[in-house]
């Protein structure tokens, strides 16, 4: 497996051309249990989101970024959501598309996202809510310096069962 140092990624703003990718990720029911979504999004809704997003975290309370590899292929998406301007914290999220997993892209993107949160957004902390059975995500966030702070019982519901999660924090 490549390390973050050997993997080059670029984080960029979402463009209209990313509509199909956003549609695919937001409507992947296998991802719904790890996020706050449980309904499909229409292309119109996502097109409207792309068109009306101000790319201003203070206005939108979130920033969503496309992850590209060195060959300019889109490998995933990462975001900073639930921005709290008073306490200078936000939740981090990342999805790497299946063909690109286990290649170091998530680690490289999370490193860049953390540096962006610190140096550009001036956040004090990032956090993530991670299912306790999501070993890949737990490993990723630990490797990036996040620590497990709180266990949340019956926190994530997949439509049939509740799962435990942990809040992981990184102080920037």
């Amino acid at each position: 497996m490549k390390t973050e140092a050997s993997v080059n990624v670029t984080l960029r703003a979402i463009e209209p051309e990313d509509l199909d990718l956003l549609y695919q990720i937001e409507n992947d029911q296998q991802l719904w249990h790890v996020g706050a979504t449980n309904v499909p999004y229409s292309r119109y809704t996502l097109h409207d989101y792309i068109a009306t997003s101000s790319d201003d975290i203070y206005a939108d309370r979130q920033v969503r970024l496309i992850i590209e590899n060195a060959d300019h292929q889109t490998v995933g998406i990462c975001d900073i959501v639930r921005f709290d301007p008073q306490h200078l914290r936000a939740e981090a999220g990342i999805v790497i598309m299946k063909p690109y997993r286990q290649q170091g892209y998530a680690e490289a993107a999370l490193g860049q996202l953390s540096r962006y949160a610190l140096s550009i957004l001036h956040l004090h902390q990032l956090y993530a809510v991670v299912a306790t059975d999501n070993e890949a995500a737990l490993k990723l966030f630990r490797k990036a310096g996040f620590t497990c702070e709180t266990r949340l019982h019956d926190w994530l519901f997949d439509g049939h069962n509740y799962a435990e999660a942990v809040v992981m924090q990184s102080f920037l």
Side-chain angles (χ1 to χ4, degrees):
M1 182 169 123
K2 300 173 185 174
T3 63
E4 177 189 354
S6 67
V7 174
N8 184 21
V9 297
T10 302
L11 304 183
R12 65 164 176 80
I14 293 177
E15 299 287 350
E17 295 80 20
D18 299 314
L19 177 61
D20 289 337
L21 170 73
L22 197 57
Y23 183 82
Q24 176 186 352
I25 289 173
E26 293 294 349
N27 290 303
D28 184 345
Q29 292 184 21
Q30 294 177 1
L31 298 174
W32 287 359
H33 72 283
V34 299
T37 269
N38 63 356
V39 295
Y41 285 96
S42 69
R43 286 186 187 281
Y44 176 83
T45 299
L46 295 172
H47 179 273
D48 189 50
Y49 166 77
I50 292 170
T52 61
S53 175
S54 69
D55 293 326
D56 177 356
I57 196 165
Y58 286 92
D60 299 337
R61 296 291 193 253
Q62 67 178 342
V63 173
R64 304 188 84 188
L65 301 164
I66 298 297
I67 306 165
E68 287 186 345
N69 66 14
D71 296 326
H72 303 289
Q73 297 168 311
T74 299
V75 300
I77 189 168
C78 61
D79 51 25
I80 296 174
V81 297
R82 294 176 190 48
F83 169 62
D84 183 330
Q86 179 179 354
H87 301 292
L88 296 175
R89 67 175 168 244
E91 183 175 355
I94 187 165
V95 174
I96 301 296
M97 294 166 36
K98 285 181 184 179
Y100 301 101
R101 292 181 184 165
Q102 303 297 315
Q103 297 178 39
Y105 293 120
E107 183 181 349
L110 186 55
Q112 281 198 24
L113 188 69
S114 294
R115 287 187 291 278
Y116 172 76
L118 171 65
S119 28
I120 304 300
L121 301 178
H122 307 292
L123 296 185
H124 173 63
Q125 71 176 282
L126 284 176
Y127 67 91
V129 177
V130 181
T132 56
D133 64 353
N134 189 342
E135 293 177 24
L138 291 170
K139 181 180 176 183
L140 169 69
F141 282 101
R142 280 189 191 114
K143 196 168 184 179
F146 285 68
T147 57
C148 290
E149 299 297 332
T150 304
R151 184 170 291 273
L152 303 167
H153 300 282
D154 288 351
W155 197 256
L156 301 171
F157 185 63
D158 67 3
H160 303 286
N161 300 300
Y162 285 95
E164 287 192 358
V166 291
V167 177
M168 302 186 77
Q169 290 178 290
S170 175
F171 293 93
L172 307 172

